[in-house]
Amino acid sequence: PTEKGHVRETGFDITVASEIMAVLAMTTSLADMERRLGGMVVAPNTKGQPVTADDLGITGALVALMKDAIKPTLMQTLEGTPVLVHAGPFANIASGNSSIIADQIGRAMVGTGGYVLTEAGFGADIGLEKFMNLKCRSSGMKPHCAVIVATVRALKLHGGGPAVSPGKPLSHEYTNEDVELVKKGVVNLMRHIENTKKFGVPVVVAMNSFPTDTDAEHSAIKEAAMAAGADDCVLCTHHAEGGKGAAALGEAVAKACESNADAENFRLLYEGETSVKHKIETIAKELYRADGVVYSELAEEKIAMFTEQGFGNLPICMAKTQYSFSHDADAKGAPTGFTLPIGDVRCSAGAGFIVPLVGAFPTIPGLPTRPAYYEIGVDMETEQVLGLS
C-alpha cells in the first residue's frame, strides 16, 4: 500500500544518448565499469541528495548485463585492416566517440611505431571537442594528429547552396563547377581547423572526391585549408580505389604524427575545477563563437542542484545540433554574433560529465511520419524478408 499512488513524469532517450552507452564508451576496465554504473544518479531524494544505482542495489545486475558488451567487436576492412567497433554515442546528444577500451586495444595491437585511427562524430565543435575534453581527459591518451574530412558539396551548402532533400535530385549547384560558392563555404572548414588547433594538435584535411568535382574547386579548398593552418590538404579517392586512393592521405597523416611524436603541445580547453557555467561558456565562446550564453530558469535550477550535490567539477558534454556551429541548424558557414540558449541541464555522474541541452534539443530524435515497419513483410513462397533495403 505504501508504494501506490505515486505519480511522476518521465520520457525516453534514444539508446545512444543513454548514460549506460556513455559508460560503455568512457570506461577503462570491468572494475571501472562497475564503479561508473554504480555511480549513476537516478534522482534526488526528498532532501535533494543524489540517489544512485548503488543505493538501489542494482549495480551487480547492471554489470552482469554489460559484461560481454564491454568487449569490442573485431572486424576488418575489405583489404584486411583490423577494425574495432565499440560503442555508439552520437556526438550531437552524447559523447560522440568510440570506446576508450577499443583505442587501448588498438594501440596494443599496432605496437611501437604503429598507427591507430579513431573516429569522433561530426565536426570539431562537438565530436572532436568531446574527444579532447572528455575522452582524452578521462583516458590520459593524447592524439598526435587530427584528420578533418571535407567535400566540395558540403562546403557549397555552407556557402549558401540550396538545401539537400533525401530522395530528390541534387541541385545543379552541386553537380556543376561553382568555385565562388566553394570559396564562400570554406569559412566553415577554416573554423574547424582553427578549433582543432586550439587543442595543440596538427591538422590534415582529407578532401573526399566526387565525380562532379573539379580541380579548381579542390584548389580553392586546399588554399583555404592551408591558410587556416592545416599541415596538409590531400585529395582522397578511396571510395572508388580502396587503399590506393588514400595512400597520399596516409603519408600526410604519418608525417604530421612524426612531427608531433610527443604530443607535447596538446592541451584541454578548460580545467575541471572551474564552475559549470564557466565551462559551458568557454565552449560556447571559444568553439561556437557565441557572444554569450543565456540559461532558462530550469537550467539555472539544475546547475545549482548539481553543484550542491558535488558534481560541479565534472567536464561538459554539450547536446547541440550538428548542422551548425550555433544552436540554429539553418545557420550555415561560420556564424557569429549569436547568444547560445541552454534550455535544460542533466548530470551523467556515472559516465562522468554534465550534459547541457542547447535550446530545446531532443534526446530522442524525431522518427519518420511513416515508420519503416510498414514496408516490411515476408514472401510466403520463399520466406524471404522484404522491405529491409
Side-chain angles (χ1 to χ4, degrees):
T2 59
E3 296 175 356
K4 294 179 180 179
H6 296 284
V7 178
R8 67 186 177 98
E9 290 186 8
T10 186
F12 294 92
D13 286 342
I14 192 171
T15 303
V16 294
S18 72
E19 186 170 359
I20 291 178
M21 176 64 83
V23 167
L24 179 66
M26 299 297 290
T27 196
T28 56
S29 66
L30 192 61
D32 184 50
M33 174 179 274
E34 181 180 46
R35 177 187 65 81
R36 290 176 181 272
L37 291 173
M40 294 190 302
V41 175
V42 178
N45 63 17
T46 55
K47 296 180 180 179
Q49 296 305 305
V51 178
T52 67
D54 260 348
D55 294 331
L56 299 179
I58 63 173
T59 304
L62 287 169
V63 175
L65 287 171
M66 296 296 291
K67 71 177 183 66
D68 293 321
I70 198 173
K71 303 169 185 175
T73 299
L74 177 62
M75 303 179 74
Q76 62 180 332
T77 68
L78 292 174
E79 297 178 357
T81 301
V83 177
L84 292 166
V85 179
H86 202 213
F90 291 174
N92 55 350
I93 48 178
S95 59
N97 285 267
S98 55
S99 74
I100 289 173
I101 283 180
D103 287 357
Q104 291 172 331
I105 293 172
R107 293 177 67 188
M109 289 171 67
V110 301
T112 304
Y115 295 88
V116 175
L117 282 74
T118 187
E119 182 190 15
F122 302 124
D125 53 326
I126 44 179
L128 181 136
E129 182 269 312
K130 294 172 182 181
F131 177 87
M132 304 296 188
N133 285 319
L134 298 178
K135 191 174 179 182
C136 291
R137 188 189 301 269
S138 179
S139 68
M141 293 188 286
K142 298 178 181 179
H144 297 89
C145 173
V147 178
I148 298 176
V149 179
T151 66
V152 168
R153 291 179 183 179
L155 294 177
K156 284 181 175 179
L157 179 67
H158 282 289
V164 178
S165 301
K168 294 184 179 181
L170 284 172
S171 301
H172 67 86
E173 287 91 345
Y174 300 112
T175 55
N176 299 332
E177 181 179 280
D178 193 334
V179 177
E180 290 307 310
L181 195 57
V182 173
K183 287 183 177 179
K184 290 179 182 177
V186 291
V187 292
N188 182 268
L189 173 62
M190 294 174 78
R191 182 174 290 181
H192 282 297
I193 294 169
E194 292 164 2
N195 281 353
T196 304
K197 292 184 72 68
K198 287 189 176 187
F199 296 95
V201 179
V203 176
V204 174
V205 175
M207 289 187 291
N208 280 355
S209 177
F210 283 73
T212 53
D213 297 351
T214 68
D215 291 343
E217 291 171 332
H218 290 154
S219 295
I221 294 173
K222 182 165 185 175
E223 181 180 348
M226 301 306 288
D231 286 47
D232 207 343
C233 181
V234 183
L235 187 65
C236 304
T237 58
H238 48 278
H239 183 74
E241 299 182 290
K244 176 184 175 183
L249 174 63
E251 291 168 359
V253 170
K255 182 178 179 181
C257 289
E258 290 165 5
S259 70
N260 187 36
D262 297 325
E264 57 185 16
N265 294 321
F266 174 75
R267 55 188 174 272
L268 299 172
L269 196 64
Y270 55 81
E271 296 300 324
E273 290 71 29
T274 57
S275 70
V276 172
K277 282 189 174 182
H278 179 268
K279 287 176 281 202
I280 291 172
E281 289 162 17
T282 298
I283 294 171
K285 294 176 181 179
E286 289 289 321
L287 299 187
Y288 307 162
R289 306 299 202 276
D291 285 348
V293 179
V294 61
Y295 302 88
S296 71
E297 185 177 338
L298 176 62
E300 293 275 11
E301 292 173 0
K302 292 283 195 73
I303 290 172
M305 180 178 69
F306 296 144
T307 302
E308 176 67 24
Q309 290 175 344
F311 301 124
N313 287 341
L314 293 179
I316 299 298
C317 181
M318 300 283 267
K320 181 186 79 69
T321 178
Q322 69 272 27
Y323 296 117
S324 172
F325 282 108
S326 74
H327 58 284
D328 180 0
D330 294 326
K332 305 301 183 187
T336 58
F338 60 92
T339 300
L340 194 77
I342 303 297
D344 194 1
V345 180
R346 300 180 181 181
C347 179
S348 294
F353 46 70
I354 299 286
V355 185
L357 275 60
V358 177
F361 194 77
T363 52
I364 182 161
L367 300 173
T369 303
R370 184 176 176 83
Y373 57 70
Y374 279 116
E375 318 302 334
I376 297 173
V378 177
D379 187 309
M380 293 297 113
E381 297 291 332
T382 64
E383 297 187 6
Q384 182 178 358
V385 178
L386 307 174
L388 293 180
S389 60

